[in-house]
Amino acid sequence: MEQVDGLVPIEEVADRFAAELPDMTVDAFLSSLPTTQSTAGTPLPAEHDLRWAGDPLPVAELRVLAVSARRVDELTGQVKDAFLGQRGVELGPEWVQRRLDEARPMKLRDVARRLTYDLVARSQRIALAKARRRADGTLWLPTRLHERGGLLYRTSQEGRGDVGLRLDQLGTVLATCGVLHYDDQHWSVTSSGRALVD
């Protein structure tokens, strides 16, 4: 969103994003990613390693998304269920994996341009879905980024703090992994969860 200062055509934002990426195919980009699984099939901390690799933004984040998408075919059972969460959602790991696989022969920069349009469209759909009519009849949109006629503008700066932890989502993930149990509107630690703490 920092790329948007004043009225900026979406094409310009897409071009800026693309210019930050290496001039290579998606296939070459995916081949350059670190291994995500040991020879024994154990997940390796590729995302963590990439965060410390020192790649500039947005390359670092795109690399993290790509290795996470690779895990769609590597994880199994409850671990996979917890990792994927709600299945088939736009911008989720399965969606990213499908988009990258389909785009393997394409230039990474062209895919970045497409992704920019996808992200802008998605942000606008979310804002409209959460829109509320105020008492005075005006419409409130929960977004800082707006699009009108192919032009983007922002109404305020993005906050600099970390993303807030959503306890309900964390609880659901831990329940899927067998660490917590939810019954009669109360959470409790399972015996497996206690064993992890001890």
Side-chain angles (χ1 to χ4, degrees):
M1 194 156 97
E2 291 176 1
Q3 301 287 339
V4 178
D5 189 19
L7 287 172
V8 181
I10 296 175
E11 300 85 21
E12 186 177 324
V13 174
D15 288 342
R16 288 180 193 174
F17 177 29
E20 296 291 324
L21 299 175
D23 184 17
M24 61 191 333
T25 64
V26 171
D27 190 53
F29 177 75
L30 295 175
S31 297
S32 74
L33 297 173
T35 304
T36 52
Q37 209 173 33
S38 72
T39 54
T42 305
L44 296 174
E47 292 89 345
H48 178 269
D49 294 346
L50 286 170
R51 294 250 186 244
W52 290 98
D55 288 327
L57 289 174
V59 176
E61 297 304 322
L62 191 56
R63 289 172 59 97
V64 168
L65 285 173
V67 296
S68 293
R70 185 188 292 164
R71 295 193 190 280
V72 170
D73 292 331
E74 295 175 348
L75 300 175
T76 59
Q78 289 182 332
V79 174
K80 182 174 184 172
D81 291 340
F83 175 71
L84 294 177
Q86 184 181 351
R87 305 298 293 269
V89 296
E90 188 178 28
L91 304 179
E94 293 167 305
W95 183 89
V96 173
Q97 179 201 44
R98 191 170 49 254
R99 292 297 294 266
L100 291 175
D101 281 346
E102 291 169 355
R104 280 185 177 271
M106 295 176 61
K107 288 288 193 177
L108 185 62
R109 291 177 176 173
D110 292 336
V111 173
R113 287 182 185 92
R114 282 183 170 182
L115 184 57
T116 302
Y117 284 92
D118 290 341
L119 293 173
V120 168
R122 172 76 172 157
S123 73
Q124 298 305 295
R125 282 194 306 274
I126 290 171
L128 288 171
K130 295 181 177 182
R132 300 289 176 259
R133 191 175 63 199
R134 295 181 178 131
D136 66 1
T138 61
L139 187 66
W140 172 77
L141 287 174
T143 184
R144 294 178 178 100
L145 183 66
H146 300 269
E147 185 269 333
R148 297 288 182 272
L151 296 173
L152 298 175
Y153 66 95
R154 65 178 174 188
T155 54
S156 65
Q157 295 285 345
E158 210 44 62
R160 293 285 182 211
D162 287 338
V163 174
L165 175 64
R166 296 182 179 163
L167 292 178
D168 58 333
Q169 290 177 341
L170 176 60
T172 302
V173 169
L174 292 174
T176 304
C177 295
V179 175
L180 295 179
H181 179 72
Y182 189 75
D183 186 39
D184 195 28
Q185 298 185 351
H186 290 89
W187 288 102
S188 60
V189 180
T190 64
S191 55
S192 298
R194 279 197 268 321
L196 289 172
V197 174
D198 294 337

